[in-house]
Amino acid sequence: MKTISVLISLALAGALQLSAQTPPSQITSLSLRGPVGQDTGTLISGFVINSTGPKTVMIRGVGPTLAMFGVGDAVAQANITVFDGNGNVVATDDGYLNGPNSDMVVMTASSIGAFPLSDPGDSALLVTLWPGAYTVQVAASGNNAPSGSALLEVYDVDTLTGSSTGSLSSGSSRGMYGPNADSLIQGFVITGTANMNLLVRGVGPDLSTFGISNPATAVGLNVYDVNGSAVASSAPSSSVNPDGSIAADVGDFPLTQAGDSATTLSLAPGAYTVVATPDPTVMTNGVALLEVDDVDNSM
């Protein structure tokens, strides 16, 4: 587990260092690592912008550069597509060197402390978005290593550079999960001066209500700090509504089936990872969703 936490922390450590003095505490970076490709489909992450005006974010789909961190099955081409809350495409990128502002993308990544990309198969874009909910898809393409691991990152550029008071109030990660699939891992960074209250959920069975034909039958979760130490965990619930009334308070859909998990916790500023933990009695793969919600400042 420590290796997983270090990988996510390397991706986000610069953002943490640059924003340590930014009050109030808020989520400034999100990441998701998981499998993409012909056998596993796309990697999907969602985030919510809670702000009074437009916010600039950097979104990256990292494939081949992951080899620098010891990932042996990094996908050769990681393309990204961004959708708004109505399902409209608002931005795409099929290689960070192909865009008209590639120099600005590289400069911004350096200024916010993101590790440099080293391969044209990685994707990245800078986009200014209005408050609301967005979804990012990372898909593999090309004939060379069309399946493998990818990393998706979302950075709040405005806040990290000291020019915005808005925040990323939640993040979600969807992908394949189970004993025969890679771990589904979500990372996030809290910056500021005070603890932040969060709701963290692992969702499997309830995805069937959204038309997912192969949801995971049981999803537990573990939360780790930057040192790889466990700070919270939740086993799949044997009953409904494991998150009580808090889900409604932050605008999440209710959990109405057994097998989902949820935990509330207060975390100090720092880098964290959430890992979906398989049920050893379930030997099949399925789709799972990890969610992290800011209880204090959600829309």
Side-chain angles (χ1 to χ4, degrees):
M1 183 57 240
K2 188 170 184 179
T3 301
I4 294 171
S5 295
V6 168
L7 172 62
I8 297 295
S9 299
L10 282 170
L12 300 177
L16 172 61
Q17 293 166 1
L18 287 171
S19 303
Q21 303 302 317
T22 304
S25 294
Q26 57 195 293
I27 298 172
T28 51
S29 306
L30 300 165
S31 66
L32 164 63
R33 179 191 158 188
V36 298
Q38 295 174 338
D39 299 327
T40 54
T42 57
L43 200 62
I44 302 173
S45 182
F47 61 94
V48 172
I49 294 176
N50 186 4
S51 178
T52 57
K55 175 179 288 295
T56 299
V57 297
M58 170 172 279
I59 302 173
R60 307 202 305 179
V62 186
T65 295
L66 292 181
M68 297 175 56
F69 301 103
V71 178
D73 67 338
V75 72
Q77 178 75 40
N79 298 341
I80 52 179
T81 305
V82 185
F83 301 85
D84 64 17
N86 296 316
N88 301 311
V89 175
V90 297
T92 64
D93 188 64
D94 60 358
Y96 77 102
L97 295 178
N98 297 331
N101 64 340
S102 58
D103 290 342
M104 182 61 68
V105 168
V106 173
M107 290 175 57
T108 302
S110 177
S111 70
I112 63 176
F115 65 82
L117 301 179
S118 62
D119 193 284
D122 301 312
S123 297
L125 53 83
L126 282 170
V127 59
T128 299
L129 301 173
W130 286 93
Y134 295 89
T135 302
V136 184
Q137 293 187 3
V138 177
S141 67
N143 297 320
N144 182 24
S147 299
S149 293
L151 177 70
L152 186 156
E153 301 172 302
V154 179
Y155 293 92
D156 181 347
V157 174
D158 288 341
T159 301
L160 290 171
T161 55
S163 60
S164 173
T165 57
S167 66
L168 300 175
S169 61
S170 67
S172 61
S173 305
R174 186 191 126 183
M176 290 299 294
Y177 151 94
N180 301 313
D182 291 339
S183 298
L184 184 62
I185 307 167
Q186 178 168 338
F188 61 96
V189 164
I190 299 172
T191 61
T193 57
N195 279 24
M196 174 175 282
N197 295 313
L198 299 171
L199 170 65
V200 183
R201 307 201 304 177
V203 185
D206 267 292
L207 294 180
S208 62
T209 62
F210 299 96
I212 303 300
S213 60
N214 60 332
T217 57
V219 181
L221 61 88
N222 287 316
V223 183
Y224 299 89
D225 64 16
V226 70
N227 298 312
S229 301
V231 296
S233 63
S234 178
S237 176
S238 59
S239 60
V240 303
N241 196 30
D243 45 14
S245 63
I246 297 179
D249 294 337
V250 300
D252 283 342
F253 61 87
L255 300 181
T256 62
Q257 302 183 46
D260 299 312
S261 58
T263 182
T264 56
L265 65 164
S266 178
L267 294 177
Y272 298 90
T273 56
V274 185
V275 181
T277 56
D279 184 338
T281 66
V282 179
M283 300 307 296
T284 58
N285 295 338
V287 176
L289 178 72
L290 292 175
E291 297 177 308
V292 177
D293 289 289
D294 177 358
V295 175
D296 300 317
N297 299 301
S298 292
M299 295 178 67

Coordinates of all heavy atoms in Angstrom, one line a residue, residues 174 203-219 253-260 286-289:
R174 N -14.6 6.2 -11.3 CA -15.3 5.0 -11.7 C -14.4 4.1 -12.6 O -13.7 4.7 -13.5 CB -16.6 5.3 -12.4 CG -17.4 4.1 -12.8 CD -18.5 4.5 -13.7 NE -18.5 3.6 -14.9 CZ -19.3 3.7 -15.9 NH1 -20.2 4.6 -16.0 NH2 -19.2 2.8 -16.9
V203 N -19.0 2.6 -3.9 CA -20.4 2.2 -4.4 C -20.2 1.1 -5.5 O -19.4 1.2 -6.4 CB -21.1 3.4 -5.0 CG1 -22.5 3.0 -5.4 CG2 -21.1 4.6 -4.0
G204 N -21.0 0.1 -5.3 CA -21.1 -1.0 -6.3 C -22.5 -1.3 -6.6 O -23.0 -0.9 -7.7
P205 N -23.2 -2.0 -5.8 CA -24.6 -2.5 -6.1 C -25.5 -1.4 -6.6 O -26.3 -1.6 -7.5 CB -25.0 -3.1 -4.8 CG -23.8 -3.6 -4.1 CD -22.8 -2.6 -4.5
D206 N -25.4 -0.2 -6.0 CA -26.3 0.9 -6.3 C -26.1 1.5 -7.7 O -26.9 2.2 -8.2 CB -26.3 2.0 -5.3 CG -27.4 1.8 -4.2 OD1 -28.6 1.9 -4.5 OD2 -27.0 1.5 -3.1
L207 N -25.0 1.1 -8.4 CA -24.7 1.6 -9.7 C -25.7 1.0 -10.7 O -25.9 1.5 -11.8 CB -23.3 1.3 -10.2 CG -22.2 2.0 -9.4 CD1 -20.8 1.6 -10.0 CD2 -22.3 3.5 -9.5
S208 N -26.4 -0.1 -10.3 CA -27.4 -0.7 -11.2 C -28.5 0.2 -11.5 O -29.2 0.1 -12.5 CB -27.9 -2.1 -10.6 OG -28.5 -1.8 -9.3
T209 N -28.8 1.1 -10.6 CA -29.9 2.0 -10.8 C -29.6 3.1 -11.8 O -30.5 3.8 -12.3 CB -30.3 2.7 -9.4 OG1 -29.2 3.5 -9.0 CG2 -30.7 1.7 -8.4
F210 N -28.3 3.2 -12.2 CA -28.0 4.1 -13.3 C -27.7 3.4 -14.6 O -27.0 3.9 -15.5 CB -26.7 4.9 -12.8 CG -27.0 5.7 -11.6 CD1 -26.6 5.2 -10.4 CD2 -27.6 7.0 -11.7 CE1 -26.9 6.0 -9.2 CE2 -27.8 7.7 -10.6 CZ -27.5 7.2 -9.3
G211 N -28.1 2.1 -14.7 CA -28.0 1.4 -16.0 C -26.7 0.7 -16.1 O -26.4 0.2 -17.2
I212 N -25.9 0.6 -15.1 CA -24.6 -0.2 -15.1 C -25.0 -1.7 -15.1 O -25.5 -2.1 -14.1 CB -23.7 0.2 -14.0 CG1 -23.4 1.7 -14.0 CG2 -22.4 -0.6 -14.1 CD1 -22.7 2.2 -15.3
S213 N -24.6 -2.4 -16.1 CA -25.1 -3.8 -16.2 C -24.2 -4.8 -15.3 O -24.6 -5.9 -15.0 CB -25.1 -4.3 -17.6 OG -23.8 -4.2 -18.2
N214 N -23.0 -4.4 -15.0 CA -22.1 -5.2 -14.3 C -21.5 -4.5 -13.0 O -20.3 -4.5 -12.9 CB -21.0 -5.8 -15.2 CG -20.1 -4.6 -15.7 OD1 -20.6 -3.5 -15.9 ND2 -18.8 -4.9 -16.0
P215 N -22.3 -4.0 -12.1 CA -21.8 -3.4 -10.9 C -21.1 -4.4 -10.0 O -21.5 -5.6 -10.0 CB -23.0 -2.8 -10.3 CG -24.1 -3.7 -10.7 CD -23.8 -4.1 -12.1
A216 N -20.1 -3.9 -9.3 CA -19.5 -4.8 -8.3 C -20.5 -5.1 -7.2 O -21.3 -4.2 -6.8 CB -18.3 -4.1 -7.7
T217 N -20.5 -6.3 -6.7 CA -21.5 -6.7 -5.7 C -21.2 -6.3 -4.3 O -22.1 -6.2 -3.5 CB -21.6 -8.2 -5.8 OG1 -20.4 -8.9 -5.5 CG2 -22.1 -8.7 -7.1
A218 N -19.9 -5.9 -4.0 CA -19.5 -5.5 -2.7 C -18.3 -4.6 -2.8 O -17.3 -5.1 -3.4 CB -19.3 -6.6 -1.7
V219 N -18.3 -3.4 -2.3 CA -17.2 -2.5 -2.4 C -16.8 -1.9 -1.0 O -17.6 -1.2 -0.4 CB -17.5 -1.3 -3.3 CG1 -16.3 -0.4 -3.4 CG2 -17.9 -1.8 -4.7
F253 N -26.5 10.8 -4.3 CA -27.6 9.9 -4.4 C -27.6 8.9 -3.2 O -26.5 8.6 -2.7 CB -27.6 9.1 -5.7 CG -26.4 8.2 -5.9 CD1 -26.3 6.9 -5.5 CD2 -25.3 8.7 -6.6 CE1 -25.2 6.1 -5.7 CE2 -24.1 7.9 -6.8 CZ -24.1 6.6 -6.3
P254 N -28.8 8.5 -2.8 CA -28.8 7.6 -1.6 C -28.3 6.2 -2.0 O -28.5 5.7 -3.1 CB -30.3 7.6 -1.3 CG -31.0 7.8 -2.6 CD -30.1 8.8 -3.3
L255 N -27.8 5.5 -1.0 CA -27.3 4.1 -1.1 C -28.5 3.2 -0.6 O -28.7 3.3 0.6 CB -26.0 3.9 -0.3 CG -24.8 4.8 -0.8 CD1 -23.6 4.4 0.0 CD2 -24.6 4.6 -2.3
T256 N -29.1 2.5 -1.4 CA -30.3 1.8 -1.1 C -30.1 0.2 -1.1 O -31.1 -0.5 -0.9 CB -31.4 2.1 -2.1 OG1 -31.0 1.7 -3.4 CG2 -31.7 3.6 -2.0
Q257 N -28.9 -0.2 -1.4 CA -28.6 -1.7 -1.4 C -27.4 -2.0 -0.5 O -26.5 -1.2 -0.3 CB -28.3 -2.1 -2.9 CG -29.4 -1.8 -3.9 CD -29.1 -2.3 -5.2 OE1 -28.7 -3.4 -5.4 NE2 -29.4 -1.5 -6.3
A258 N -27.5 -3.2 0.0 CA -26.4 -3.7 0.8 C -25.2 -3.9 -0.1 O -25.3 -4.2 -1.3 CB -26.7 -5.0 1.5
G259 N -24.0 -3.8 0.4 CA -22.7 -4.0 -0.3 C -21.9 -2.8 -0.6 O -20.8 -2.9 -1.0
D260 N -22.6 -1.6 -0.4 CA -21.8 -0.3 -0.6 C -21.2 0.0 0.8 O -21.5 -0.6 1.8 CB -22.8 0.8 -1.0 CG -23.4 0.5 -2.3 OD1 -22.7 0.1 -3.3 OD2 -24.7 0.7 -2.4
G286 N -16.3 -6.2 -11.4 CA -17.4 -5.3 -11.7 C -17.0 -3.9 -11.7 O -15.9 -3.5 -11.4
V287 N -18.0 -3.0 -12.0 CA -17.7 -1.6 -12.0 C -18.0 -1.0 -10.6 O -19.0 -1.4 -9.9 CB -18.6 -0.8 -13.0 CG1 -18.5 0.7 -12.9 CG2 -18.4 -1.3 -14.4
A288 N -17.0 -0.2 -10.1 CA -17.2 0.4 -8.8 C -17.0 1.9 -8.9 O -16.4 2.4 -9.9 CB -16.2 -0.2 -7.8
L289 N -17.5 2.7 -7.9 CA -17.3 4.1 -7.9 C -16.8 4.5 -6.5 O -17.3 4.1 -5.5 CB -18.7 4.8 -8.1 CG -18.8 6.3 -8.0 CD1 -18.2 6.9 -9.3 CD2 -20.3 6.7 -7.9

